[in-house]
Amino acid sequence: MAGSITLVKDGDVLLPEVLQAQVSAVLPHALQITPFCQVDTTLVGIPGNTIKYPVWNYIGMADDSAEAQDIDTRALSYETKEYTIRKIAVGVAFSDEALLSGYGNPQAEGERQVTLAMAHKIDHDAMEEIQANAPHITTLANPVGYEGVIDAIDDFEEEFETNKVLIIHPKQRTQLRKDPNFLSADKYPKEVILNGEIGQIAGCRVMVSKSVPLVAGKYHSVMIRLSTEQTEKDSNAFLINTPALTLFMKRNVNVEYERIVKNRTHEITADQIFNVVVTNPSSIRVCEFNA
């Protein structure tokens, strides 16, 4: 039975619950896109793999009203979208010889590679969803820089500025660092820096991810309006009440260990049941910058 056998090597005990805790702790720090998702756990612990998600429609601007006149009321309406949860999985195997040789640390390397493989797949799927279902800005003629970022920000047509993050490819980082308007993260207090943030430009936080695709000579970078706690003066509250991205969770990372007697190997497998979807296209843009 999975999880019932342990392997002792040089005084270290290989326990699946320890592996799961370690992978679960490290995985969020390896992700670049999904940290900006709202997490929905509606399906945790209940049957089924499909969730219906309501997207509320705006009721429109208020009307003039005369003294003692009845106020017209408007019905709240919404569109329902269905999303299906799916599973991703990965595993590593060790022979007795590998674990007993004392060369390096196969267990730690296995944990690291399982974590990276899961993170890579989750971010890859999130990026594919964004590229397919978020609005694209195709008029950005130059490489990533201040002017292009400003054009992307203004495409949201905001009346009040909101917090935003720009996700670029590592090869765009050099272009951005050479822009005099770029503020490197080492120039401002660490307590206000997001995990993975390299700096800011035009008030937009900048992150780096290899999942940003290069298509026909253009990097399809991603700008996300962050869903934050609203203030009473923020007239865009109704726009960003629904987050740009939602991570639907059926089950968190599950790690199991099994000893295969017939070939004297040890297998560590991990899976996660989830989906990442664009739930508010008005708060996300794909910015097509020249390479």
Side-chain angles (χ1 to χ4, degrees), residues 127 131 169 209-215 218-222:
M127 182 59 73
Q131 297 294 325
H169 190 275
S209 173
K210 288 184 178 180
S211 63
V212 171
L214 176 62
V215 182
K218 290 180 176 290
Y219 283 111
H220 287 203
S221 306
V222 175

Side-chain angles (χ1 to χ4, degrees), residues 40-54 80-87 246-251 273-277:
D40 187 300
T41 57
T42 303
L43 286 176
V44 174
I46 64 172
N49 65 347
T50 302
I51 187 169
K52 292 183 178 180
Y53 191 85
T80 300
K81 294 185 178 181
E82 289 191 358
Y83 303 110
T84 301
I85 308 301
R86 54 200 174 78
K87 180 173 71 174
T246 300
L247 174 62
F248 294 103
M249 298 286 294
K250 177 72 172 181
R251 185 180 68 197
I273 303 176
F274 78 106
N275 203 355
V276 181
V277 298

Side-chain angles (χ1 to χ4, degrees), residues 7 92-96 99 257-259 264-268:
L7 171 71
V92 292
F94 309 100
S95 66
D96 281 356
L99 285 171
Y257 163 76
E258 186 176 8
R259 164 71 166 163
R264 300 299 193 264
T265 59
H266 313 263
E267 293 185 356
I268 300 172

Side-chain angles (χ1 to χ4, degrees), residues 214-256:
L214 176 62
V215 182
K218 290 180 176 290
Y219 283 111
H220 287 203
S221 306
V222 175
M223 184 176 290
I224 304 172
R225 285 202 298 178
L226 302 182
S227 181
T228 58
E229 183 177 356
Q230 303 305 305
T231 63
E232 60 183 5
K233 66 179 181 180
D234 189 349
S235 64
N236 280 329
F238 71 91
L239 284 177
I240 56 178
N241 184 47
T242 302
L245 297 164
T246 300
L247 174 62
F248 294 103
M249 298 286 294
K250 177 72 172 181
R251 185 180 68 197
N252 206 340
V253 179
N254 180 46
V255 180
E256 296 193 20

Side-chain angles (χ1 to χ4, degrees), residues 68-114:
Q69 176 183 342
D70 290 344
I71 298 174
D72 291 332
T73 59
R74 302 167 188 175
L76 284 174
S77 62
Y78 62 89
E79 299 173 6
T80 300
K81 294 185 178 181
E82 289 191 358
Y83 303 110
T84 301
I85 308 301
R86 54 200 174 78
K87 180 173 71 174
I88 61 171
V90 67
V92 292
F94 309 100
S95 66
D96 281 356
E97 291 83 356
L99 285 171
L100 296 172
S101 68
Y103 180 78
N105 189 336
Q107 177 184 331
E109 182 62 16
E111 294 171 14
R112 188 183 75 86
Q113 296 221 19
V114 164

Side-chain angles (χ1 to χ4, degrees), residues 1-7 13-24 107 111 253-258 267-269:
M1 181 176 65
S4 62
I5 302 175
T6 60
L7 171 71
V13 180
L14 181 60
L15 296 173
E17 57 267 28
V18 174
L19 291 173
Q20 179 158 324
Q22 291 171 337
V23 172
S24 296
Q107 177 184 331
E111 294 171 14
V253 179
N254 180 46
V255 180
E256 296 193 20
Y257 163 76
E258 186 176 8
E267 293 185 356
I268 300 172
T269 58

Side-chain angles (χ1 to χ4, degrees), residues 133-272:
N133 294 306
H136 285 237
I137 305 175
T138 60
T139 56
L140 306 175
N142 299 314
V144 63
Y146 182 81
E147 290 186 4
V149 172
I150 287 294
D151 287 343
I153 289 173
D154 288 347
D155 194 71
F156 288 113
E157 297 184 353
E158 294 179 316
E159 292 179 324
F160 292 92
E161 286 286 332
T162 58
N163 292 322
K164 300 175 188 68
V165 62
L166 176 67
I167 302 173
I168 63 172
H169 190 275
K171 290 187 177 180
Q172 292 178 281
R173 179 165 43 196
T174 301
Q175 299 169 344
L176 202 56
R177 283 175 170 169
K178 291 179 179 179
D179 191 307
N181 294 289
F182 176 71
L183 179 63
S184 177
D186 60 3
K187 300 295 194 301
Y188 50 91
K190 290 184 178 180
E191 57 268 19
V192 300
I193 299 176
L194 297 175
N195 180 48
E197 181 179 342
I198 66 165
Q200 296 185 15
I201 187 165
C204 193
R205 298 174 183 269
V206 182
M207 314 285 285
V208 178
S209 173
K210 288 184 178 180
S211 63
V212 171
L214 176 62
V215 182
K218 290 180 176 290
Y219 283 111
H220 287 203
S221 306
V222 175
M223 184 176 290
I224 304 172
R225 285 202 298 178
L226 302 182
S227 181
T228 58
E229 183 177 356
Q230 303 305 305
T231 63
E232 60 183 5
K233 66 179 181 180
D234 189 349
S235 64
N236 280 329
F238 71 91
L239 284 177
I240 56 178
N241 184 47
T242 302
L245 297 164
T246 300
L247 174 62
F248 294 103
M249 298 286 294
K250 177 72 172 181
R251 185 180 68 197
N252 206 340
V253 179
N254 180 46
V255 180
E256 296 193 20
Y257 163 76
E258 186 176 8
R259 164 71 166 163
I260 310 299
V261 178
K262 66 180 180 181
N263 59 13
R264 300 299 193 264
T265 59
H266 313 263
E267 293 185 356
I268 300 172
T269 58
D271 67 61
Q272 185 165 4

